């Protein structure tokens, strides 16, 4: 097995390394997304409008699912496959940037996933707004050589054009929804409709050409809507659509309660993680209750809840009345990297640093960001930390033993402490600051989107899940963009989840 970032800095992708072959898979002139460009932010305005003037996604989702049911999709939204009791599948989240970080994941994914039965995409299939015309370079082309079906749940970015592109590609080429009457003037809904970003015209020839990249019948998957369940071997995989604001409408909530009564062990796949960055986000359901209430109910037999949206890997093994539920963040499939060094010392729901896992490691995250902003601001001598310096200062601030120890000669200097503080590095809860949460939010909403880079290491990842009647083995594989990690994708985390 190849070295991982938990073993050596070289295993993390640092140092001189031969670049991978992923660039051969890319289109000739891929378009970069500039996340802080006002035009990009204006195109993605629907989330802000929904939070200010009311969220229409529950109503729109209900219209989509009614359309699919009328077209013959199963009313219970269950996909019944013929997988054996022992099989494997892939899960990858937040993929669709269409540039080097996304394509860097593909060679390792194809190698590790060559015997898998299907893949699940968890959240944000297409950036920045889920446009139908972007599916060619951001879905069909990168996964053209994956020979099995791909299922998906949408993220908030897929909703920025009312889910039109997602439904065309994953749900039987669903036709656009019919226009609805205009809302009453001078109401919140009327104000929202004036500013709402709507789907643009679709280049049908472009979409038809994109579909030819995955033409094999074995590659096709038609799902009953944006949320679904898959019965595969001994388990049920339940995918929910958390829309623009990370919530469930009452109709989907009732479906989730019903589909969760099936006696099989279950994995939840969600557009927003339930545990992330050391915090619990249970996901409210319209009308009362939360998604996590359903996951925690022992009668429902959930063994894991995996969410996208945050672009890294995290795992929280939470004890729920004597059984362990694995709560996983798996959004490292291709978009810019969300920092892990801003995660404070973990103490949530009984999970401590001893149990918590993340990728990239916090020290590698801080080294990545310090080097990035050192280059961009022309302040390398001040801001740039080596991976050993970053690991050492994070260990000091969190008072923990890092997974990969820094070199014995490394000293934590005042400069390193200053850089760590400026870049929002987490701390122990008893050393926290009243400014800690705002700083982390600034990183999530501002600095992280500005971290998109186009040279390794990328710190991307994907999951392979091996299912048997007795257990599921979950492994997080890294993708750095370097040839060594392409040829033998390192395992950054592994856990066996019992089913009996």
């Amino acid at each position: 097995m190849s070295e991982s970032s938990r073993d050596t800095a070289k295993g993390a992708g640092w140092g001189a390394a031969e670049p991978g072959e992923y660039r051969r898979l890319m289109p000739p002139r891929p378009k970069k997304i500039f996340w802080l460009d006002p035009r990009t932010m204006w195109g993605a305005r629907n989330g802000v409008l929904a939070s200010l003037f009311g969220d229409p996604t529950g109503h729109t989702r209900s219209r989509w699912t009614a359309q699919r049911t009328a077209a013959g999709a199963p009313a219970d939204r269950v996909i019944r496959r013929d997988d054996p009791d022992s099989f494997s599948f892939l899960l990858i989240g937040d993929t669709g940037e269409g540039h080097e970080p996304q394509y860097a994941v593909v060679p390792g994914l194809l190698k590790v996933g060559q015997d898998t039965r299907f893949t699940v995409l968890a959240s944000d299939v297409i950036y920045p707004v889920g446009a139908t015309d972007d599916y060619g370079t951001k879905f069909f082309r990168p996964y053209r050589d994956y020979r099995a079906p791909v299922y998906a749940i949408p993220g908030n970015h897929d909703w920025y054009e009312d889910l039109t592109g997602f439904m065309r590609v994953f749900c039987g080429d669903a036709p656009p929804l019919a226009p609805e009457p205009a809302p009453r003037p001078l109401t919140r809904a009327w104000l929202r409709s004036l500013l709402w970003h709507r789907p643009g015209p679709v280049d049908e020839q472009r979409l038809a050409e994109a579909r030819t990249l995955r033409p094999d019948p074995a590659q096709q998957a038609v799902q009953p809507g944006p949320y679904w369940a898959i019965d595969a071997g001994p388990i049920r995989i339940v995918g929910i659509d958390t829309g623009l604001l990370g919530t469930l409408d009452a109709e989907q909530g009732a479906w989730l309660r019903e589909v969760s009564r099936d006696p099989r062990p279950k994995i939840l796949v969600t557009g927003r993680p339930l545990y992330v960055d050391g915090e619990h986000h249970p996901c409210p359901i319209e009308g009362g209750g939360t998604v996590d209430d359903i996951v925690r109910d022992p009668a429902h037999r959930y063994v894991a809840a995996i969410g996208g949206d945050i672009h890294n890997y995290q795992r929280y093994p939470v004890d729920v009345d004597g059984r362990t539920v694995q709560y996983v963040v798996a959004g490292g499939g291709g978009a810019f990297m969300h920092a892990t060094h801003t995660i404070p010392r973990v103490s949530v729901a009984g999970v401590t640093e001893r149990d918590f896992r993340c990728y990239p490691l916090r020290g590698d995250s801080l080294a990545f960001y310090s080097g990035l902003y050192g280059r961009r601001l022309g302040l390398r001598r001040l801001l740039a930390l080596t991976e050993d310096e970053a690991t050492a200062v994070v260990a000091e601030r969190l008072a923990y033993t890092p997974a990969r120890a820094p070199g014995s000669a490394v000293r934590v200097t005042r400069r390193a402490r200053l850089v760590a503080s400026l870049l929002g590095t987490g701390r122990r809860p008893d050393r926290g600051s009243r400014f800690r949460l705002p700083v982390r939010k600034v990183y999530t909403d501002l600095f992280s989107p500005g971290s998109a880079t186009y040279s390794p290491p990328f710190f991307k990842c994907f999951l392979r899940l091996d299912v048997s009647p007795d257990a599921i083995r979950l492994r997080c594989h890294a993708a750095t963009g370097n040839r060594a990690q392409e040829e033998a994708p390192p395992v950054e985390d592994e856990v066996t989840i019992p089913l009996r």
Side-chain angles (χ1 to χ4, degrees):
M1 185 178 294
S2 60
E3 291 181 330
S4 74
S5 69
R6 304 177 73 84
D7 301 315
T8 65
K10 182 179 178 181
W14 295 115
E18 185 180 359
E21 296 291 312
Y22 66 89
R23 289 188 178 94
R24 297 184 180 182
L25 307 173
M26 296 174 60
R29 290 179 296 279
K31 185 178 179 181
K32 294 180 180 179
I33 298 174
F34 296 97
W35 287 100
L36 302 182
D37 186 319
R39 291 168 296 181
T40 302
M41 293 190 285
W42 177 244
R45 62 190 178 271
N46 286 0
V48 174
L49 295 174
S51 63
L52 292 175
F53 300 115
D55 184 1
T57 55
H59 174 68
T60 305
R61 183 187 297 115
S62 181
R63 296 182 68 206
W64 279 123
T65 55
Q67 182 201 79
R68 292 290 298 130
T69 301
D76 61 2
R77 302 181 182 90
V78 177
I79 301 164
R80 293 172 173 87
R81 294 178 49 84
D82 61 353
D83 301 298
D85 284 346
S86 295
F87 73 97
S88 302
F89 70 98
L90 299 175
L91 189 145
I92 182 169
D94 298 86
T95 53
E97 274 208 21
H99 218 287
E100 298 210 12
Q102 178 179 9
Y103 281 86
V105 178
V106 174
L109 181 144
L110 294 176
K111 184 177 289 289
V112 170
Q114 59 186 338
D115 63 338
T116 54
R117 304 276 295 191
F118 58 88
T119 287
V120 174
L121 298 185
S123 185
D124 291 344
V125 180
I126 301 294
Y127 293 105
V129 296
T132 306
D133 286 351
D134 286 342
Y135 270 84
T137 56
K138 299 177 182 181
F139 173 70
F140 288 104
R141 186 183 184 105
Y143 310 119
R144 64 188 301 177
D145 294 325
Y146 180 68
R147 308 313 304 173
V150 178
Y151 303 96
I153 57 165
N156 58 308
H157 287 266
D158 300 304
W159 268 102
Y160 289 154
E161 291 203 349
D162 292 336
L163 217 60
T164 302
F166 184 95
M167 296 297 292
R168 290 285 309 267
V169 171
F170 292 105
C171 301
D173 205 14
L177 294 173
E180 290 195 296
R184 188 162 49 89
L186 303 181
T187 61
R188 295 174 72 207
W190 178 77
L191 290 170
R192 183 184 66 217
S193 70
L194 291 179
L195 298 171
W196 197 253
H197 175 83
R198 291 179 173 80
V202 175
D203 185 334
E204 296 294 343
Q205 181 177 348
R206 183 174 177 178
L207 178 60
E209 290 173 354
R211 291 185 189 276
T212 65
L213 297 174
R214 284 180 54 84
D216 193 318
Q219 294 177 303
Q220 308 310 309
V222 177
Q223 55 192 60
Y227 60 92
W228 41 257
I230 298 174
D231 287 345
I235 66 169
R236 171 168 281 188
I237 305 165
V238 179
I240 60 173
D241 170 16
T242 53
L244 284 170
L245 301 182
T247 62
L248 262 62
D249 62 278
E251 181 180 302
Q252 186 180 182
W255 171 86
L256 177 61
R257 292 184 176 98
E258 179 63 31
V259 83
S260 296
R261 294 191 181 103
D262 183 271
R264 277 169 273 225
K266 297 173 191 68
I267 297 172
L268 180 75
V269 182
T270 169
R272 297 282 181 97
L274 303 182
Y275 282 86
V276 61
D277 293 348
E279 298 172 352
H280 183 211
H281 298 270
C283 187
I285 299 174
E286 181 186 22
T290 69
V291 170
D292 202 29
D293 292 338
I294 296 170
V295 169
R296 287 170 173 264
D297 188 331
H300 296 155
R301 299 191 67 193
Y302 279 93
V303 297
I306 305 174
D309 189 58
I310 299 300
H311 307 163
N312 54 45
Y313 172 82
Q314 303 174 40
R315 181 169 64 83
Y316 301 81
V318 176
D319 183 277
V320 179
D321 299 326
R323 63 191 178 92
T324 299
V325 178
Q326 300 289 341
Y327 290 88
V328 176
V329 179
F336 62 83
M337 185 190 85
H338 276 127
T340 58
H341 67 268
T342 57
I343 302 172
R345 185 180 172 97
V346 170
S347 180
V348 60
V351 179
T352 66
E353 282 294 330
R354 182 183 62 185
D355 314 304
F356 171 69
R357 296 291 184 271
C358 70
Y359 176 79
L361 299 177
R362 290 176 172 108
D364 290 332
S365 172
L366 179 58
F368 173 90
Y369 272 92
S370 69
L372 173 70
Y373 284 103
R375 291 191 302 273
R376 289 188 178 175
L377 299 175
L379 298 172
R380 290 192 190 190
R381 294 184 63 183
L382 172 64
L383 292 180
L385 301 177
T386 67
E387 53 271 22
D388 279 348
E389 289 173 325
T391 298
V393 72
V394 169
E396 179 185 84
R397 288 175 68 92
L398 294 179
Y400 82 142
T401 302
R404 187 183 76 237
S408 58
V410 174
R411 248 180 355 105
V412 178
T413 63
R414 278 189 284 185
R415 181 182 74 89
R417 294 186 181 106
L418 173 64
V419 172
S421 182
L422 288 172
L423 297 184
T425 305
R427 304 194 71 157
R428 304 194 316 254
D430 62 332
R431 296 289 299 278
S433 157
R434 60 179 175 159
F435 299 110
R436 176 173 60 85
L437 286 176
V439 167
R440 283 170 53 205
K441 184 165 178 58
V442 165
Y443 250 88
T444 300
D445 295 345
L446 182 62
F447 283 178
S448 285
S451 72
T453 57
Y454 304 99
S455 58
F458 293 119
F459 298 108
K460 301 290 97 187
C461 59
F462 61 93
L463 306 185
R464 175 181 168 121
L465 295 95
D466 301 309
V467 180
S468 73
D470 298 317
I472 299 171
R473 182 179 64 173
L474 181 154
R475 287 181 291 174
C476 172
H477 288 272
T480 67
N482 292 331
R483 181 187 286 271
Q485 284 82 34
E486 276 188 0
E487 293 179 346
V491 176
E492 292 291 339
D493 185 35
E494 180 174 340
V495 63
T496 298
I497 305 169
L499 297 183
R500 296 188 187 276

